[in-house]
Amino acid sequence: MSVYKKSKLLKSHRVEKGFSREKLSEGICDITTLKRYENEGMLPSEDNYRLLQEKMGGRPEQIIMSYDMGLFVDGDRYVEYENLLNNQKYDELRMKMQILKEGLKNVESVEKEQFLARLETLTYYDYTKEMLEIQEGLLKKSVPDYKDGEFSITRLYNDTELNLLNDIAITNDKIGCTEMAVKIFEKLDVYLGQAEDNKDSMIAVKIYFNYANTLGLSGEYEKSIEICKKGIALEKKNSCQELLYALVFNIGWLYDQIWMDNHDEKYKKAAKEYVGLSLALAKYFDESPINTPTIEGYYKENFT
Amino acid sequence: MNDSNVIGAILGTERTNLSLTISKVCDGLCSASTYNRYEGGKMLPDKFMLSALLERMGKNSNRVLYTVTDEEHRLLDIKKNLLESIENEDSEKTRQYLEEYSSIPKTRSKNIHKQLELEVRGELCRMSGDTKGALSFYKEAFELTCKKKLDDIDNSLYTVREFGLLYKIASISDHNLLFKLGYFLKKLNDNHYLKVVYYGELISELVSESENRWMKQVQLEYIESALQYKRLIKQSKGVVRLLELKKKYAGELSEEEETILKFDDLLGWN
């Protein structure tokens, strides 16, 4: 369970928004009380906490959960949709989304809207500026402060919002704004580093995977390997991930690139080990029917 | 919808979806009337209670975002250190963190905190080689929130900690219980969080413990079913131990399995 201290959230949000204690507390509580809230001397009531956060224009929810009417209780639904997306089974995905839409037609929820529209964007659009605008617009529905890759890392993000930030970074990279993509991933890395225990979630590993990809393709091999290893370390938890083989493949590919630069055989050897392991994992865990033959081809071409 | 209502709606929806009675879900954790107030949105459970309730319904509470009070945050911090020091078998640090944890006055979910403290005392006994003492603490911890459940495994709901305690009790003293727990997990839905956390590990333990009791063929069937489950839910944790057992009993592994086994150090799986 990701947890955040109320005192820390209040203080950082206030400083970030440029509110003085006097201005923020006015009409809600006295200034000493707010000071106590921030310095852990006193626990804000549910109402006061909400009022203070609302006044700062943030999301007032004390608790933000990825569930509306039980729809997202199950992270497994997320996993199921993501897998269809990754394996490019768009028709099946669209069919499932149609059923979901029908079932939820009476449910008013921003997350529902973002969840469905995000998937639609990914199934119907190519990576263009237009797509980026749509993704940013979707994110802004619940994160109004987002602007050009800037977003607060002291607030809470649910899985859908993290997925959108991840998508925005990828689209930026694909349309040539790699610097912007790296900037977003760097911030996400800091965010994930400070949110405790959030690492059981699929999106955390996915963010590291895409971050590593972006770095690797722009020639930052060593840094990319470091990020891949961060992602792999997360998989030691109880989570159920399908990205392990892909992270392992990335490391192999990166070592191979380093070898091409310096022809030091130890890198070629490491590359072979990682790609071989990735292939074994992909076959064993019955991974993507698109990626597995690609890895196999890469292995044969480069190491046999 | 305010927070209490959201939490209440979630608890209520989950519970009714699973056709569970209130008393079954909250038994030993809180009173039925308190639980009713949670569901009715009249009161907000703290982080520890909400996790426990969701876990009893088979949910992974890690998927929930929650803000906590500073007191809870401190407890969570120490708990993290405690679990780490136990994992590293560091009894000195474990004792130190336990003292720190116990010294913080708890205003809510007292049973849940007490249970953790007792379990850690059990771990300290285990580390010093006092198995009997460990067993006694584990049982005391378990019974704190599960009074009648040792005889009635099949019809009960467990939090991750409660099931973990049962597992420890069974591993020390009761092969039959270990077998029952394996069967209990096997029957759960594939995405039930207890199954995700414990199935592979428990089967490894069960098979290792059954060396002189079971036929090789039966042991292999169990290992294969656990491996199949790991592949189904794509969980890499614990695969290596299962593969090692498979190799021991089957004598050989497939090419992929051998490759995976060879590189467990590379992946930091040990």
Side-chain angles (χ1 to χ4, degrees), chain B residues 119-133:
Chain B
E119 183 182 4
V120 175
R121 287 189 200 289
E123 287 298 306
L124 282 167
C125 286
R126 182 190 57 75
M127 284 185 224
S128 68
D130 175 8
T131 315
K132 213 173 146 195

Side-chain angles (χ1 to χ4, degrees), chain A residues 153-219:
Chain A
I153 53 165
T154 55
R155 55 155 285 167
L156 297 157
Y157 294 94
N158 61 31
D159 276 12
T160 305
E161 289 159 348
L162 288 173
N163 264 300
L164 278 166
L165 281 163
N166 176 60
D167 293 346
I168 289 170
I170 295 173
T171 310
N172 266 300
D173 188 34
K174 299 267 187 196
I175 61 171
C177 306
T178 304
E179 244 174 68
M180 174 68 87
V182 172
K183 183 173 125 186
I184 295 171
F185 281 131
E186 274 172 355
K187 286 195 94 166
L188 284 169
D189 182 24
V190 179
Y191 171 79
L192 293 171
Q194 66 175 12
E196 280 179 49
D197 291 337
N198 62 348
K199 291 157 185 164
D200 211 19
S201 137
M202 184 179 182
I203 178 65
V205 179
K206 204 166 93 177
I207 285 170
Y208 283 122
F209 174 69
N210 290 312
Y211 184 14
N213 268 348
T214 305
L215 288 169
L217 292 173
S218 56

Side-chain angles (χ1 to χ4, degrees), chain A residues 3-18:
Chain A
V3 292
Y4 295 81
K5 289 164 92 163
K6 282 181 192 166
S7 54
K8 195 179 158 201
L9 285 176
L10 272 181
K11 189 169 181 180
S12 52
H13 207 174
R14 180 178 63 77
V15 173
E16 195 181 307
K17 295 282 167 183

Side-chain angles (χ1 to χ4, degrees), chain A residues 1-227:
Chain A
M1 184 178 285
S2 301
V3 292
Y4 295 81
K5 289 164 92 163
K6 282 181 192 166
S7 54
K8 195 179 158 201
L9 285 176
L10 272 181
K11 189 169 181 180
S12 52
H13 207 174
R14 180 178 63 77
V15 173
E16 195 181 307
K17 295 282 167 183
F19 275 86
S20 67
R21 283 207 185 102
E22 195 180 0
K23 194 174 154 200
L24 179 60
S25 59
E26 196 187 343
I28 300 175
C29 59
D30 63 55
I31 188 167
T32 342
T33 309
L34 176 60
K35 203 170 168 185
R36 283 195 189 140
Y37 289 163
E38 290 185 355
N39 296 333
E40 308 187 10
M42 203 176 158
L43 190 62
S45 66
E46 209 182 307
D47 283 345
N48 274 1
Y49 182 80
R50 180 191 314 283
L51 288 169
L52 290 166
Q53 289 287 23
E54 268 174 354
K55 192 163 173 179
M56 292 188 281
R59 283 177 71 153
E61 293 97 310
Q62 183 184 354
I63 303 146
I64 303 167
M65 299 206 273
S66 302
Y67 352 47
D68 284 292
M69 310 309 288
L71 164 64
F72 299 105
V73 159
D74 231 324
D76 304 303
R77 184 187 292 277
Y78 237 112
V79 176
E80 186 188 344
Y81 282 59
E82 287 298 321
N83 284 344
L84 289 175
L85 203 57
N86 292 339
N87 294 329
Q88 298 174 20
K89 292 183 179 165
Y90 297 140
D91 288 341
E92 197 180 335
L93 183 63
R94 282 177 198 133
M95 203 174 73
K96 282 194 187 261
M97 279 165 58
Q98 197 50 44
I99 298 168
L100 186 65
K101 255 187 199 168
E102 199 52 39
L104 291 172
K105 62 181 177 201
N106 297 323
V107 178
E108 287 292 326
S109 136
V110 175
E111 190 179 358
K112 177 192 93 171
E113 207 182 316
Q114 289 173 320
F115 181 86
L116 290 169
R118 172 181 171 259
L119 290 174
E120 257 166 30
T121 317
L122 293 174
T123 48
Y124 285 107
Y125 288 82
D126 288 328
Y127 294 105
T128 55
K129 271 197 169 164
E130 189 195 359
M131 179 171 182
L132 183 63
E133 274 168 26
I134 295 173
Q135 288 169 332
E136 289 184 330
L138 278 176
L139 180 69
K140 281 182 182 176
K141 282 180 193 287
S142 61
V143 189
D145 297 350
Y146 174 88
K147 194 168 189 280
D148 301 331
E150 289 294 340
F151 54 97
S152 162
I153 53 165
T154 55
R155 55 155 285 167
L156 297 157
Y157 294 94
N158 61 31
D159 276 12
T160 305
E161 289 159 348
L162 288 173
N163 264 300
L164 278 166
L165 281 163
N166 176 60
D167 293 346
I168 289 170
I170 295 173
T171 310
N172 266 300
D173 188 34
K174 299 267 187 196
I175 61 171
C177 306
T178 304
E179 244 174 68
M180 174 68 87
V182 172
K183 183 173 125 186
I184 295 171
F185 281 131
E186 274 172 355
K187 286 195 94 166
L188 284 169
D189 182 24
V190 179
Y191 171 79
L192 293 171
Q194 66 175 12
E196 280 179 49
D197 291 337
N198 62 348
K199 291 157 185 164
D200 211 19
S201 137
M202 184 179 182
I203 178 65
V205 179
K206 204 166 93 177
I207 285 170
Y208 283 122
F209 174 69
N210 290 312
Y211 184 14
N213 268 348
T214 305
L215 288 169
L217 292 173
S218 56
E220 301 245 17
Y221 304 137
E222 302 280 354
K223 173 91 181 147
S224 178
I225 290 172
E226 188 192 311
I227 299 294

Side-chain angles (χ1 to χ4, degrees), chain A residues 1-9 37 39-43 46 49-50 60-67 69-70 73-76 79 83 156-159 191 196-198 200-202 229 232-233 235-242 244 248 273-274 276-277 279-281 283-288, chain B residues 1-4 6-7 9-10 13-14 17 43-44 47-48 50-51 54 59-71 73-74 76-77 80 87 191-193 196-198 224 227-228 230-237 239 243 246 254-257 259-261 263-264 266-270:
Chain A
M1 184 178 285
S2 301
V3 292
Y4 295 81
K5 289 164 92 163
K6 282 181 192 166
S7 54
K8 195 179 158 201
L9 285 176
Y37 289 163
N39 296 333
E40 308 187 10
M42 203 176 158
L43 190 62
E46 209 182 307
Y49 182 80
R50 180 191 314 283
E61 293 97 310
Q62 183 184 354
I63 303 146
I64 303 167
M65 299 206 273
S66 302
Y67 352 47
M69 310 309 288
V73 159
D74 231 324
D76 304 303
V79 176
N83 284 344
L156 297 157
Y157 294 94
N158 61 31
D159 276 12
Y191 171 79
E196 280 179 49
D197 291 337
N198 62 348
D200 211 19
S201 137
M202 184 179 182
K229 289 189 173 170
I232 290 174
E235 307 223 13
K236 278 174 80 181
K237 296 221 171 190
N238 291 313
S239 50
C240 312
Q241 306 276 354
E242 96 292 4
L244 181 65
V248 172
E273 280 175 356
Y274 275 98
L277 176 59
L279 183 59
L281 288 168
K283 285 185 174 170
Y284 193 67
F285 284 96
D286 197 16
E287 301 288 1
S288 155
Chain B
M1 208 185 247
N2 71 30
D3 306 329
S4 332
V6 173
I7 295 281
I10 289 158
T13 313
E14 282 305 310
N17 278 349
M43 201 176 154
L44 204 57
K47 187 252 174 227
F48 298 94
L50 180 63
S51 292
L54 286 173
K59 297 291 157 192
N60 175 359
S61 61
N62 288 327
R63 296 229 171 90
V64 179
L65 294 174
Y66 210 124
T67 49
V68 295
T69 67
D70 297 309
E71 171 198 292
H73 197 271
R74 222 160 77 229
L76 286 169
D77 262 352
K80 200 165 125 198
E87 206 178 308
N191 56 9
H192 194 290
Y193 195 52
V196 170
V197 175
Y198 287 113
E224 208 46 69
L227 280 170
Q228 259 176 27
K230 294 266 177 197
R231 292 160 79 166
L232 176 76
I233 64 166
K234 299 192 189 293
Q235 185 185 49
S236 48
K237 187 189 164 202
V239 166
L243 287 178
K246 184 174 173 183
S254 71
E255 196 184 330
E256 280 112 39
E257 288 170 331
T259 311
I260 291 169
L261 205 53
F263 289 113
D264 57 337
L266 203 67
L267 293 166
W269 277 350
N270 278 335

Side-chain angles (χ1 to χ4, degrees), chain B residues 152-170:
Chain B
D152 193 13
I153 301 293
D154 276 3
N155 294 311
S156 302
L157 305 173
Y158 303 101
T159 67
V160 169
R161 163 139 301 108
E162 288 162 349
F163 194 87
L165 283 163
L166 265 183
Y167 179 21
K168 286 177 186 175
I169 294 168

